[in-house]
Every structure is written in C-alpha cells, then in structure tokens.
C-alpha cells in the first residue's frame, strides 16, 4: 500500500484565496484592510525567512503589513514598548512576535503583553485558557492547520485514537486540545514516555511535533493511520545546502499509513495560511462583526 500524500500547499492556497476574498469585503465595509504587524528581533536566518514569508503572504492577501525589524541587542523594555504601541494602533489587528527571542528578553512577558484580541499566534494565556475550556479564541496556527488537514482527510474525528508526540505550548498542547474538542481519544507523548513505538502503534491519527529527524519509523505506524508530520529538520548533504525532513521517516511510513503529509509541502504552508485566517478573524471580532464564513 502507498499512502495518499496530503497536499498542504494546495489546502493552504485555497484558504489564502478565501481569506483574500473576505479581506476586500472587510476593506470596503470598514474603509481599511485588516492589518498585521510582524516583529523580528535579531538576524536568526530561519526566523528571518519565516517572517519574510509571513510579510509576503500579508501583502498577497491584500492586508496592511507593518514589519518591525529590531537589532539583536534590543532590550526587553524597548520590545514591550513596541508591543504596547501596536496594541494601541487601530490599524493593527494582529501582532506576531517571531520566536525564539534573544536571551535578554523574556518571551513569556512579551506574549503576556500582547492584547489577547490581537494575539493571532494564539499564545497568550487568555487564548490558551479559552481553547482549553472550549470558548472561542485565537488558536495557534500550526495545530489549527493540522486540524484542518485532518478534517479534510477524515471528516469526523470522533472516537478515533489520536497520539500527539510533543507537548510544547506552540504545537503539542493546543493540538491535543483541538483533538479533544473533536471528540478524539487523545494521548500526548513526550521525552519521558515509555515505549513510544507501542503508544504510536495505537494511533488512528498521529501528529508528530518533536524536532528529531525521521524519529518515527514505518513499523511504529498503525496500518491505515493518518499521519501529520509537523517536524522541520535539516539533514546535511554533500553540496552543503542541507535537506529538509520531518519527524517521520516518510518512505517507510507511507508504506503503512493511509495518508501522510510530506515535509516540506505539508504542515508548513498551512501555518502561514492560518496566520492570515487568524488576522482576518481578529479584525472582524475587533470591528464587532461576526466571524467570516467558511474559514
Ligand atoms: P519543542 O518545543 O522543542 O517541543 C518538542 C517536544 O518533543 C517536547 O515536548 C519534547 O518532550 C518532545 N520530545 C523530544 N524528544 C523526544 C523523544 N525522543 N521522544 C518523544 N518526545 C520527544 O518543539 P516545537 O516548537 O513543538 O516544534 C516541534 C517541531 O515542529 C520542530 O521540528 C519545529 O521546527 C517544528 N515546527 C514546525 C512548524 C510548521 O509550521 N511546520 C511550526 C512549529 C514547529 P519534553 O516536553 O519532555 O521535552
């Protein structure tokens, strides 16, 4: 058997097109487009690439972009002041502070300073708590993108056994909350989990968010499972450019699974699409409008 390759790029393009349609309707109604402010501190190459992609997607959606690139030596006080200013800026509906931040800045304090209604990453404790209690919130983009792919693939998730590997606040924990919300039976595994292969073998749905290249082997996968690979790992190659792989050994897993996301081209594009979606939703809620339909 060879698994269906879940095309995150195509799914993300469809979401971004739908967002762009809503953006022009919003702009006509409110006299301004939704606005997204990105904040990059320092020159971490991967972070710079991610922020550039987010800024480009913002422009392509017809939204207003406010890009702030700060030097690596920026003080915590200066960054908190910028966030406070963006909270007060009426043109800004979403604020994204790219993580990780330099060592002199406490990321938790920065996240807690972002106005929850503008927290389009969904990392503020207010949004995390609302997600956990089943209230409307802004949901972290990567797990939200994973959920979208799973529902498109499987329809209902009710009663399915889901295993999430990873318990970060950014991916693993919100992913588990979303799956519970869909009535899956959820196990969260992490570095202290005993006999991880046996745990994974129970999974109808596997979400791997670990950061260890090809850790999940083909013989861990339950036949017919749906596999969502969040991991982004760079393996060295002879030409020095490196090769991106996920947390799952794709070729092995594809022999056993029913469907699987590739890396790249799976979860990654969905993260950016959901960021655009969250900014649009934040703009609607801030303007007192109901959430845009179909997103
Ligand atoms: P993280 O904060 O480093 O969390 C990794 C999790 O994996 C932790 O909970 C850790 O357990 C667990 N873990 C580590 N080694 C393990 C092992 N041997 N067995 C089982 N569990 C293990 O990472 P993250 O931010 O969640 O990101 C995870 C991966 O997703 C990374 O590769 C990252 O680059 C990628 N990512 C991709 C996107 C995207 O858009 N596609 C977005 C975000 C992240 P403990 O809690 O016990 O330490």
């Amino acid at each position: 058997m060879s698994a269906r390759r879940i095309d995150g790029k195509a799914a993300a393009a469809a979401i971004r097109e739908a967002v762009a349609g809503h953006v022009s309707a919003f702009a006509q109604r409110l006299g301004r487009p939704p606005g997204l402010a990105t904040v990059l501190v320092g020159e971490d190459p991967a972070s710079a690439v991610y922020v550039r992609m987010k800024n480009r997607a913002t422009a392509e959606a017809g939204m207003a972009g406010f890009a702030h690139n700060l030097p690596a030596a920026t003080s915590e006080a200066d960054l908190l002041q910028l966030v406070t200013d963006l909270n007060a800026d009426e043109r800004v509906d979403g604020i994204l502070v790219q993580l990780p931040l330099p060592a002199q800045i406490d990321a938790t304090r920065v996240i807690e300073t972002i106005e929850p209604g503008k927290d389009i990453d969904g990392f503020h404790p207010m949004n995390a708590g609302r997600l956990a209690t089943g209230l409307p919130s802004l949901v972290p983009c990567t797990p939200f993108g994973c959920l979208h792919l799973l529902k498109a693939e499987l329809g209902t998730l009710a009663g399915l056994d889901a295993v999430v590997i990873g318990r970060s606040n950014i991916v693993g924990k919100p992913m588990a909350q979303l799956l519970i919300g869909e009535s899956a039976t959820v196990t969260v595994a992490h570095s202290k989990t005993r006999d991880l292969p046996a745990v994974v073998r129970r999974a109808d749905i596997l979400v791997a968010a670990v950061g260890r290249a090809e850790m999940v082997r083909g013989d861990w996968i339950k036949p017919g499972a749906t596999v969502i690979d969040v991991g982004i790992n760079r393996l060295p190659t002879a030409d020095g450019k490196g090769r991106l792989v996920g947390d799952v050994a794709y070729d092995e897993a594809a022999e056993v699974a029913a469907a699987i996301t590739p890396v790249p081209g799976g979860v990654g594009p969905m993260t950016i699409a959901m960021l655009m979606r969250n900014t649009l939703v934040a703009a609607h809620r801030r303007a007192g409008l109901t959430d845009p339909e179909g997103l």
Side-chain angles (χ1 to χ4, degrees), residues 26 29-30 32 93 281-291:
F26 180 95
R29 197 159 166 188
L30 275 290
R32 66 163 186 95
D93 298 290
V281 167
H284 278 70
R285 293 182 186 166
R286 291 186 63 248
L289 304 173
T290 52
D291 283 2

Side-chain angles (χ1 to χ4, degrees), residues 1-5 153 221-227 253-254 256-260:
M1 184 169 80
S2 188
R4 228 179 68 74
R5 185 177 173 281
E153 196 60 36
I221 306 291
K222 179 175 177 175
T226 302
V227 178
V256 190
I260 180 167

Side-chain angles (χ1 to χ4, degrees), residues 142 166-168 171 190-191 209-212 215 230-232 267-268 271:
T142 299
R167 55 173 163 178
S168 71
V171 190
H190 45 74
S191 67
V210 188
R212 293 171 77 95
M215 181 187 83
V230 182
I232 301 176
V267 174
T271 297

Side-chain angles (χ1 to χ4, degrees), residues 206-217:
L206 173 66
V207 181
V210 188
R212 293 171 77 95
E214 299 178 329
M215 181 187 83
V216 177
R217 309 310 309 188

Side-chain angles (χ1 to χ4, degrees), residues 238-263:
D239 64 5
K241 285 187 184 156
R243 182 169 66 92
L244 285 187
V245 297
D247 292 338
V248 180
Y250 183 92
D251 291 343
E252 291 177 16
E255 291 290 309
V256 190
I260 180 167
T261 57
V263 177

